[in-house]
Amino acid sequence: MTARQGNDTLRHYDVHNLYGWSQAKPTLDALRAALPGRRGLVVSRSTFPGSGRWTGHWLGDNTSKWSHLLFNVIGMLEFNLFGMPYVGADICGFFGSSWAELCQRWMQLGAFNPFFRNHNGLEGVPQDPAAFGAEVSFSSRQAVELRYELNPFLYTLLAESSQRGGSVVRSVMESFPSDVRARGLDRQFLWGDELLVSAVLTPNTRHVVAYFPRARWFDLATGAEVKDTGRAHVIPAPRDVIPVHVRGGSIVVTQEHALRTRDSRYKPFGLIVAPDEQGAARGRLIWDDGDSIDTLERGDYFRCEFQSTSNSSGGQLWMRMTQQGHSMGGLRLHTVRLLGMAKEPQVLLFGRPVLSQSYYPASQEAVVKVQQAMGEEWQLSWT
């Protein structure tokens, strides 16, 4: 670090990280020259603040051990602060040999790495989930399918970060800065302000201690509300489960999964509506062709906002379009999950009965089926 460079004008200490930074832009330029008008992906492990304009970041050659599973969380939080939201680790570890439980938990956490890649070295045992048997394969598939279902939400977060900066993966403290207890949390994180992830990071663990800041929170999988927030809860987390909760006040956009994003982006959409203490919720979607460059700069994208208000006598949910630079074609909304419903609602779309609806009193969730074009404004109401 004391070596001199640049005709003895620079200390290596001062320029150590600038090599990777200086290579990011020409690499992306070369990629775009090879694929004119189309997107490419550059990922580097040698970056510096500002590199995020041209490259994502992978967290380097880690090791297959539990402590590095925790480092994965910390690394994502750090690099989002450094302006590189597209970040991820070598899932299941690079050095050493992974094993079933570690890889299973890491695949679950990996589904919430913006850059999601299972990657190992030549000396380790195979760590494709199927190599560890049916249990790991099944739960890993569940995690990957959940990731694909949440891709529209993640895509919107990344688009917003590209437009105005800010984090995608963020600490609980970032979303709740006045909460003193949140300041020491490095084992939980959020996607945006909406999804709280409480991964299992230790061996032989079937529960996780999760802190819930004072707000309404709903289990993403079951729809059930967490009672008595502002404190930690012991949450069941069997081997095939990663606890994820939706913050009250949020509307999260989902999409049916497929084997690859080229196919899933044409699948039907869904909404998860989680009301806050006043019965209100908001969300948004940014969508484009998924392949062209500079669509945000040119305005060649679709953006819409979702808003909901409700009280004890009923409520409504509507969508309005704010940018129509990309056609949504035949894309349709099929499913709406209404959380926090104390009684079974009677739901109408434009004043007419919906295709079907189901109500689950134990979790107080209503699941509504519709056939609504995504490129048109609409309104749901219920009593």
Side-chain angles (χ1 to χ4, degrees):
M1 299 299 283
T2 60
R4 308 291 297 188
Q5 295 179 236
N7 295 323
D8 204 35
T9 60
L10 302 169
R11 294 187 305 164
H12 182 77
Y13 178 85
D14 296 324
V15 297
H16 177 76
N17 290 315
L18 294 181
Y19 178 79
W21 175 87
S22 67
Q23 294 300 304
K25 184 181 185 300
T27 302
L28 181 61
D29 290 342
L31 182 59
R32 288 187 171 175
L35 299 170
R38 299 182 60 192
R39 294 180 195 177
L41 177 64
V42 177
V43 180
S44 175
R45 66 176 177 180
S46 177
T47 58
F48 194 72
S51 297
R53 182 175 179 181
W54 306 295
T55 179
H57 182 91
W58 115 83
L59 293 169
D61 294 342
N62 56 12
T63 301
S64 297
K65 56 185 181 181
W66 289 100
S67 60
H68 285 217
L69 184 61
L70 171 60
F71 295 163
N72 185 174
V73 176
I74 296 171
M76 287 193 296
L77 296 176
E78 289 178 336
F79 276 85
N80 270 265
L81 294 177
F82 300 155
M84 281 163 273
Y86 192 67
V87 58
D90 288 346
I91 304 304
C92 298
F94 182 80
F95 290 119
S97 290
S98 194
W99 59 96
E101 185 185 12
L102 175 64
C103 196
Q104 185 174 29
R105 292 304 193 186
W106 215 327
M107 284 293 293
Q108 292 169 349
L109 175 62
F112 291 90
N113 279 230
F115 174 52
F116 180 17
R117 177 185 68 160
N118 182 322
H119 181 58
N120 68 337
L122 294 175
E123 304 302 323
V125 301
Q127 61 187 38
D128 181 284
F132 295 114
E135 181 186 7
V136 177
S137 179
F138 176 76
S139 67
S140 297
R141 179 170 183 158
Q142 284 184 308
V144 173
E145 289 176 347
L146 176 59
R147 163 59 174 261
Y148 272 59
E149 290 168 8
L150 292 172
N151 268 345
F153 177 65
L154 176 60
Y155 198 75
T156 299
L157 291 176
L158 288 165
E160 290 174 338
S161 178
S162 175
Q163 286 179 310
R164 61 173 186 258
S167 59
V168 170
V169 178
R170 61 191 60 163
S171 67
V172 182
M173 178 188 69
E174 184 177 345
S175 292
F176 295 88
S178 61
D179 188 330
V180 175
R181 293 190 63 178
R183 297 174 188 174
L185 298 180
D186 60 5
R187 294 172 176 264
Q188 295 173 265
F189 60 91
L190 292 117
W191 267 13
D193 287 324
E194 292 89 346
L195 293 182
L196 177 65
V197 182
S198 307
V200 174
L201 304 173
T202 52
N204 304 314
T205 301
R206 302 297 179 268
H207 295 80
V208 63
V209 178
Y211 176 70
F212 293 91
R214 196 165 298 283
R216 293 186 80 179
W217 296 97
F218 300 85
D219 189 299
L220 177 66
T222 68
E225 184 173 1
V226 177
K227 304 299 183 182
D228 189 19
T229 60
R231 68 177 184 88
H233 288 256
V234 178
I235 304 296
R239 285 274 294 266
D240 61 343
V241 170
I242 177 171
V244 183
H245 292 80
V246 186
R247 182 180 179 178
S250 306
I251 299 178
V252 176
V253 184
T254 63
Q255 194 170 30
E256 291 182 13
H257 61 262
L259 291 179
R260 55 184 183 175
T261 55
R262 182 181 295 177
D263 298 327
S264 66
R265 63 178 284 106
Y266 298 108
K267 292 287 188 176
F269 285 87
L271 296 176
I272 304 171
V273 182
D276 62 15
E277 293 86 346
Q278 288 74 44
R282 300 178 68 94
R284 67 278 182 215
L285 171 68
I286 295 176
W287 205 247
D288 59 13
D289 65 11
D291 192 39
S292 303
I293 62 172
D294 297 330
T295 55
L296 298 179
E297 291 79 0
R298 297 195 309 266
D300 295 343
Y301 65 95
F302 173 87
R303 185 184 186 277
C304 67
E305 295 180 349
F306 304 94
Q307 190 168 349
S308 175
T309 59
S310 60
N311 53 39
S312 58
S313 61
Q316 56 185 343
L317 165 67
W318 64 93
M319 182 270 266
R320 69 181 184 92
M321 296 178 287
T322 59
Q323 175 69 26
Q324 301 180 56
H326 171 73
S327 171
M328 298 300 280
L331 291 172
R332 305 187 76 82
L333 174 69
H334 277 192
T335 305
V336 179
R337 296 176 59 190
L338 300 173
L339 309 184
M341 304 295 288
K343 62 179 182 178
E344 182 173 6
Q346 299 301 314
V347 186
L348 303 174
L349 176 62
F350 290 123
R352 298 185 295 273
V354 295
L355 291 179
S356 67
Q357 64 178 73
S358 304
Y359 181 67
Y360 303 93
S363 59
Q364 297 190 339
E365 175 184 359
V367 179
V368 179
K369 297 294 184 179
V370 297
Q371 281 278 3
Q372 174 59 45
M374 285 295 292
E376 300 175 358
E377 296 185 341
W378 51 265
Q379 181 172 323
L380 276 178
S381 60
W382 59 88
T383 56

